[in-house]
Amino acid sequence: MPVPLAPYPNSSVPFTPPNGGQNQLVCSGCRNLLLYPLGATSICCAICNAVTAAPPPGTEMARLVCGGCHTLLMYIRGATSVQCSCCHTINLALEANQVAHVNCGNCQMLLMYQYGAGSVKCAVCNFVTSVGASPSTEHKPNN
């Protein structure tokens, strides 16, 4: 079953493991989530041996799922777009207060869209759902 496009869940409080001495990032080689000690400048992945540079201390990071290949991406909070290193898709990096959700009018998949959009197209069934309008304004694609 396809995965809906949505940002990776972020809490308003940064992730702090119980021991308080680790942080996390995505491996630049195999894309696995890595835990590393605070203060480290680079991390060597135990799975693929790729070396990934750690962000400077105090850098606030955010996560999202790539709309092209569904890879977990990490980026510096505040960025407006993020290019996936796997499939090169450029993803919009929207903050939680810039997006809204609606169920697809055809398959009921939960869809996410940017505030101000008039409609949203489902990536699963290609149905176009009008946002905030009556069901009579929704239509199926012509393909």
Side-chain angles (χ1 to χ4, degrees):
M1 182 171 154
V3 177
L5 302 179
Y8 195 79
N10 277 327
S11 64
S12 58
V13 179
F15 172 76
T16 305
N19 65 7
Q22 291 184 330
N23 209 339
Q24 58 185 351
L25 58 71
V26 176
C27 174
S28 61
C30 65
R31 311 304 295 169
N32 279 308
L33 194 61
L34 304 175
L35 293 176
Y36 66 95
L38 293 176
T41 57
S42 60
I43 300 87
C44 182
C45 178
I47 296 171
C48 71
N49 292 320
V51 176
T52 304
T59 303
E60 200 172 339
M61 301 298 287
R63 298 172 283 203
L64 63 80
V65 175
C66 175
C69 66
H70 303 290
T71 298
L72 175 63
L73 304 175
M74 292 188 81
Y75 62 96
I76 296 173
R77 188 174 301 282
T80 57
S81 61
V82 181
Q83 184 171 13
C84 179
S85 60
C86 296
C87 70
H88 305 290
T89 298
I90 297 176
N91 297 273
L92 289 178
L94 302 174
E95 294 296 324
N97 63 352
Q98 295 176 299
V99 296
H101 298 87
V102 67
N103 286 329
C104 172
N106 185 49
C107 71
Q108 299 303 310
M109 176 69 69
L110 182 63
L111 306 174
M112 187 176 75
Y113 64 95
Q114 187 172 7
Y115 278 127
S119 61
V120 60
K121 183 177 180 180
C122 180
V124 175
C125 70
N126 292 324
F127 188 81
V128 177
T129 303
S130 295
V131 177
S134 66
S136 63
T137 60
E138 298 173 350
H139 62 280
K140 294 217 181 222
N142 294 330
N143 46 344

